[in-house]
Amino acid sequence: MACVGESNGLTFWVAEQKDYEDVMSISVNIYGGNDYLPHRYSDWMTEPDRVVILGRKDSKLVALESGFVVDEGRTLLVEGLRVCASERGRGVAGEIQRFADQYMQQLYPTLRTKRQTMSDYHSSESTKSLAKFTELGRRAILSFTGDGKSFNGFISHLKNKLNSTTGLDKAVSVQQMVPLEDAHHLKNILLDPELPKRVQLPGGVIIQDWQPFQPIKGNLEILARRNLTWLVNKLEKPNFLSFYTPPYPIAFDGGSLRFNIDMFGTDLDSAKRAFVSHFEKVMEKGLLTGKIMIHVFLDQSLWKEMKEFCAGETGLKLWREYWEQVIMERDVRGGAEGKRESNM
Ligand SMILES: CC(C)(COP(=O)(O)OP(=O)(O)OC[C@H]1O[C@@H](n2cnc3c(N)ncnc32)[C@H](O)[C@@H]1OP(=O)(O)O)[C@@H](O)C(=O)NCCC(=O)NCCS
């Protein structure tokens, strides 16, 4: 593969499968062991409309950023940004981002907007880059660790809690959320223009495991590829929507599975039921074994009560206190903004 650009002592390359080990070597300890890239790298190499850019200094890999074109060609989703530990704090992240933005705009002249998600935990370190973005919205993140072995007991415990709060007899199973298994139903719900308001999509986007997409036709195929398991509180005009992403391996605690549940809507009862239903489903499939890291992404108003709901003598241990996912956008059409940046 040929070099695609250079700037300030860095050369830029389009990543290939053979770069996997190099990429892993600059990814050690990223996101507290929660890094998704070891698992996703191969898929990224073949995903349509995705380009992964590598930055090298001499021949050594020092940085990576991925650009993924979504929203029917209008939006550049940037992900995976990382710089090797020895080169941090010297502006390398800025260099690779500037190059990747311009490279992607050349390949996809329809691009209008750049979007990214990040945790509020990183925000304070990146105020300068954040200042160029508009914040679209935020969600709270409830993060637990647990052991697959204890989950049957844990889920029975939660079901009992749900039954007792709804006054149902313990023998009666709790009212389930409605699975959305039919592609036609799912499509109608996602493309309903009222959806963003009814389920309070933050910034009007559906965020799937940190990837924010507008609920439009061109993104349905991307979501379908992700093999998600969807639930709504009702089929007609739902005001609560949730899905889980199939658990995948991460480095945390010597090797764990990461289980992400995304929720949209503010109804606490639906959030509790969705949590239990997702767990039941994923356990039926035998997908939660060994050490598990669970992240539930949800409306800020639900965090505290969901944390209390999940607290119990068995099951999950809170991994981190309240934290948030932030969704940000900026215009990429150059002009005045581009000029301002070069004068800084
Ligand atoms: C965050 C990280 C990529 C920053 O790399 P760096 O080269 O040390 O960054 P610097 O502090 O030298 O900042 C250089 C530029 O990158 C920007 N930047 C820093 N962190 C950023 C972030 N998280 N998102 C976007 N831009 C960021 C800075 O604002 C600065 O921009 P400028 O050149 O336009 O002024 C690096 O610390 C890293 O790899 N951390 C581990 C992985 C990670 O947390 N990635 C962030 C995902 S959101």
Side-chain angles (χ1 to χ4, degrees):
M1 180 59 73
C3 171
V4 289
E6 59 186 301
S7 159
N8 287 333
L10 295 178
T11 54
F12 299 106
W13 308 75
V14 174
E16 296 178 62
Q17 185 60 42
K18 69 173 174 52
D19 299 307
Y20 180 82
E21 291 305 329
D22 276 359
V23 170
M24 292 307 108
S25 73
I26 66 163
S27 305
V28 180
N29 294 331
I30 284 187
Y31 309 140
N34 278 275
D35 189 18
Y36 52 79
L37 195 55
H39 173 66
R40 292 211 185 126
Y41 188 82
S42 292
D43 290 343
W44 276 16
M45 292 300 103
T46 53
E47 185 160 31
D49 298 325
R50 180 185 289 280
V51 180
V52 181
I53 301 285
L54 301 180
R56 292 187 186 275
K57 193 172 177 184
D58 304 321
S59 60
K60 186 182 177 303
L61 182 68
V62 293
L64 173 145
E65 177 166 83
S66 163
F68 183 33
V69 179
V70 301
D71 298 350
E72 301 170 352
R74 290 190 297 277
T75 305
L76 176 64
L77 208 61
V78 292
E79 294 174 274
L81 176 67
R82 62 202 58 206
V83 170
C84 75
S86 58
E87 293 292 332
R88 286 181 197 158
R90 299 178 191 178
V92 172
E95 291 294 340
I96 193 166
Q97 290 183 93
R98 275 185 288 279
F99 175 77
D101 286 358
Q102 164 249 307
Y103 185 74
M104 292 301 284
Q105 282 173 78
Q106 269 169 16
L107 287 184
Y108 296 89
T110 53
L111 286 172
R112 297 284 173 271
T113 306
K114 173 173 163 177
R115 189 182 299 144
Q116 78 175 76
T117 50
M118 64 196 293
S119 72
D120 57 344
Y121 172 75
H122 292 293
S123 311
S124 56
E125 300 159 17
S126 329
T127 38
K128 208 169 152 197
S129 79
L130 268 180
K132 299 170 194 163
F133 282 83
T134 305
E135 187 177 311
L136 280 191
R138 286 174 178 249
R139 278 194 305 175
I141 314 175
L142 185 54
S143 299
F144 298 107
T145 54
D147 191 314
K149 283 204 277 295
S150 65
F151 289 163
N152 279 323
F154 171 66
I155 291 302
S156 307
H157 170 71
L158 292 190
K159 278 168 110 174
N160 285 343
K161 269 197 193 176
L162 267 181
N163 285 339
S164 60
T165 53
T166 51
L168 291 173
D169 186 277
K170 280 186 181 167
V172 182
S173 80
V174 293
Q175 184 199 324
Q176 293 296 314
M177 297 288 284
V178 185
L180 259 184
E181 283 159 2
D182 179 283
H184 181 70
H185 263 139
L186 177 61
K187 180 177 167 192
N188 284 346
I189 286 177
L190 295 183
L191 298 185
D192 176 353
E194 294 293 312
L195 181 82
K197 213 164 74 201
R198 255 191 287 108
V199 303
Q200 287 97 3
L201 293 184
V205 292
I206 290 186
I207 311 153
Q208 183 262 324
D209 193 359
W210 294 92
Q211 297 189 312
F213 304 107
Q214 284 178 354
I216 56 175
K217 201 158 170 245
N219 289 333
L220 296 185
E221 199 265 324
I222 301 173
L223 288 168
R225 259 189 253 150
R226 304 288 191 253
N227 195 15
L228 309 173
T229 300
W230 297 80
L231 295 172
V232 279
N233 62 332
K234 51 185 178 164
L235 279 180
E236 286 299 316
K237 300 189 184 305
N239 56 12
F240 200 90
L241 172 77
S242 177
F243 53 81
Y244 75 77
T245 299
Y248 56 87
I250 51 170
F252 182 78
D253 198 12
S256 303
L257 284 176
R258 176 169 160 180
F259 180 40
N260 291 308
I261 299 176
D262 284 285
M263 294 183 174
F264 302 94
T266 52
D267 180 47
L268 178 62
D269 191 52
S270 296
K272 290 177 179 173
R273 291 176 194 286
F275 184 83
V276 171
S277 299
H278 284 314
F279 255 87
E280 282 188 308
K281 195 80 178 165
V282 82
M283 280 156 57
E284 259 167 43
K285 294 185 185 167
L287 295 177
L288 284 190
T289 53
K291 295 178 209 167
I292 314 292
M293 167 69 76
I294 298 128
H295 298 297
V296 187
F297 302 87
L298 73 182
D299 191 88
Q300 287 109 320
S301 63
L302 299 176
W303 191 90
K304 189 166 170 285
E305 278 168 293
M306 282 299 284
K307 178 188 142 184
E308 282 159 13
F309 175 64
C310 296
E313 67 283 4
T314 56
L316 306 189
K317 192 163 153 270
L318 195 67
W319 178 59
R320 184 181 270 185
E321 280 303 334
Y322 184 92
W323 62 308
E324 287 182 340
Q325 176 180 62
V326 188
I327 311 123
M328 295 169 307
E329 265 191 13
R330 62 180 284 207
D331 196 40
V332 288
R333 280 171 291 185
E337 189 181 29
K339 288 197 190 96
R340 264 205 314 276
E341 275 172 40
S342 60
N343 289 338
M344 280 162 68

